[in-house]
Amino acid sequence: MPDLGMSVFPGSVVAAHLQASAASLADGTAARTADACVGTAGELAAIVDHLVAGQRSLRAALSHLAEYTRDHGLDPALFEVLSASAAAAGHSADAIAESRPLLQVVLDVTGPETRL
């Protein structure tokens, strides 16, 4: 394994943490718990910002995995699926980011501490 100059957790551990965090966010934003999870305009904006960054990171991870499978001679179909998934994650990040100007208007009008 190359020396990356930093400690790296196994990918399966990091992916499991991502899965647990995403499940927690999904549960927290469900109608019955959304007030506690989201609550304010500022929190909503922060969640959206983190989702955009997360989707961009997922795009990068999927792209890296696609390259890994290609470079290691694994089934070309796996490369194609991972590449397409990377592109979809990037498109998702772009789509979510397009909501940011509208959220900024809400923040400008109401302030970040306004309860939703």
Side-chain angles (χ1 to χ4, degrees):
M1 182 170 181
D3 180 15
L4 302 175
M6 62 181 192
S7 175
V8 176
F9 288 106
S12 59
V13 171
V14 177
H17 180 72
L18 172 65
Q19 179 186 9
S21 295
S24 182
L25 182 60
D27 188 47
T29 56
R32 64 183 171 21
T33 54
D35 285 342
C37 182
V38 180
T40 66
E43 185 65 22
L44 177 60
I47 290 169
V48 167
D49 289 345
H50 289 299
L51 287 172
V52 170
Q55 286 299 107
R56 289 188 174 139
S57 294
L58 283 172
R59 184 213 52 79
L62 288 163
S63 180
H64 295 155
L65 288 171
E67 292 169 9
Y68 181 88
T69 63
R70 182 195 60 217
D71 293 348
H72 285 79
L74 299 175
D75 189 332
L78 182 56
F79 169 78
E80 293 298 325
V81 167
L82 291 170
S83 294
S85 297
H91 295 310
S92 175
D94 294 342
I96 297 166
E98 287 180 15
S99 71
R100 196 57 174 95
L102 180 57
L103 279 171
Q104 190 59 53
V105 169
V106 172
L107 290 171
D108 291 346
V109 171
T110 66
E113 299 305 317
T114 300
R115 301 278 318 154
L116 298 175

